[in-house]
Amino acid sequence: CRDKVASIFNEVSLLLSHREDYASYNAFYDQVVSVGELLSTTIVSSTLSAQGADVKLYNASRIILTDAQFRNANVDMKATRRNLQREMSDFGHIAVVQGFIGGTDGALRTTLGREGSDYSAAVFANLLDAESLTIWKDVPGILNADPKCFADTVLIPKMRYEDAIELSYSGAQIIHPKTIRPLQNKNIPLYVKPFTDPVATGSVICGRVTEAIEVPIFIYRSTQVLVTVRDTDF
């Protein structure tokens, strides 16, 4: 693991000494920023392997093909599907892969913008026809308000895709709409759970919810508070 990590740091040193090789600051930025994902997945996969797990580390920049809009790249889903079929043909092991990054045809790394890691997971789930996707957060699940701004928040066990997208556009810190879309297109449930309590139920965003949301939802935006109220009679 130390040799692999040292190799990545050597790459960073080379990047920093060849800034002039890149056509724009954003292109250079993505090459450097994406190194964090490469480091973390190298360490995680090596740790799992040392514990006896059958692990294979993949490079997301060779699987998720994007355009050259650095720092907010767009994913080519058809090309990415082909890459997935080529790279991940064998599923008899634990696959470890980076989030947040992709790559261009010219083999430059790109980053996927805000909430890019969640979006990466949704892209993989869509293209692999996953039964579900779980995203681990530092909160119990989907709450009716930001716990950093409001006391006594309430967990919302289930929410429709459409409601989650609407609330996100209104400013709620739930899940970015671009993460929800690939899942909604194939009706893949999205579970949001706390990494501090892996056995907790958390929340799920899915296509059909029979139970109404019984609590008001508060969104704090600078000097404004948006309160969503629904008439349960309808």
Side-chain angles (χ1 to χ4, degrees), residues 47 87 141 193 201 203:
T47 301
E87 296 282 340
K193 295 187 177 185
T201 304
S203 304

Side-chain angles (χ1 to χ4, degrees), residues 1 4 15 56 61 64 75 120 129 132 168-169 188 196 203:
C1 180
K4 294 177 182 177
L15 282 170
K56 185 172 181 179
S61 66
I64 297 182
V75 176
S120 295
D129 294 319
S132 66
S168 182
Y169 277 128
I188 299 172
T196 54
S203 304

Side-chain angles (χ1 to χ4, degrees), residues 142-144 156 158-170 172 174 205-219 226-234:
I142 299 172
L143 304 175
N144 71 321
I156 301 175
K158 292 184 179 181
M159 180 177 287
R160 298 186 308 150
Y161 297 119
E162 294 85 356
D163 293 331
I165 291 171
E166 179 184 347
L167 288 170
S168 182
Y169 277 128
S170 300
I174 302 176
I205 300 173
C206 53
R208 180 175 175 80
V209 176
T210 56
E211 304 87 353
I213 298 175
E214 300 290 347
V215 294
I217 297 175
F218 300 94
I219 301 172
L226 172 64
V227 182
T228 300
V229 180
R230 291 181 178 163
D231 192 330
T232 56
D233 291 343
F234 296 95

Side-chain angles (χ1 to χ4, degrees), residues 42-73:
T42 296
I43 293 170
V44 167
S45 62
S46 296
T47 301
L48 291 173
S49 181
Q51 294 176 352
D54 184 9
V55 179
K56 185 172 181 179
L57 176 62
Y58 294 90
N59 190 331
S61 66
R62 298 173 186 167
I63 299 175
I64 297 182
L65 184 69
T66 73
D67 60 14
Q69 186 173 321
F70 296 99
R71 302 185 71 173
N72 192 25

Side-chain angles (χ1 to χ4, degrees), residues 136-140 192-202:
W136 302 91
K137 298 286 188 179
D138 60 352
V139 290
V192 181
K193 295 187 177 185
F195 55 72
T196 54
D197 186 5
V199 298
T201 304

Side-chain angles (χ1 to χ4, degrees), residues 13-145:
S13 297
L14 288 172
L15 282 170
L16 296 176
S17 62
H18 290 80
R19 163 67 181 88
E20 66 281 357
D21 291 348
Y22 296 91
S24 68
Y25 172 78
N26 286 345
F28 175 69
Y29 177 94
D30 274 6
Q31 308 319 299
V32 176
V33 168
S34 56
V35 169
E37 289 288 328
L38 298 174
L39 277 171
S40 60
T41 50
T42 296
I43 293 170
V44 167
S45 62
S46 296
T47 301
L48 291 173
S49 181
Q51 294 176 352
D54 184 9
V55 179
K56 185 172 181 179
L57 176 62
Y58 294 90
N59 190 331
S61 66
R62 298 173 186 167
I63 299 175
I64 297 182
L65 184 69
T66 73
D67 60 14
Q69 186 173 321
F70 296 99
R71 302 185 71 173
N72 192 25
N74 299 294
V75 176
D76 183 332
M77 295 292 280
K78 290 183 179 179
T80 300
R81 181 188 296 277
R82 291 195 298 268
N83 293 342
L84 264 176
Q85 291 171 345
R86 182 190 70 240
E87 296 282 340
M88 292 187 171
S89 58
D90 176 19
F91 290 97
H93 53 263
I94 298 172
V96 177
V97 65
Q98 304 82 32
F100 181 57
I101 68 175
T104 67
D105 266 338
L108 288 176
R109 291 193 296 268
T110 57
T111 59
L112 305 182
R114 180 187 166 197
E115 305 294 340
S117 292
D118 290 355
Y119 179 49
S120 295
V123 168
F124 280 116
N126 176 287
L127 297 179
L128 295 172
D129 294 319
E131 292 182 2
S132 66
L133 171 64
T134 300
I135 293 180
W136 302 91
K137 298 286 188 179
D138 60 352
V139 290
I142 299 172
L143 304 175
N144 71 321

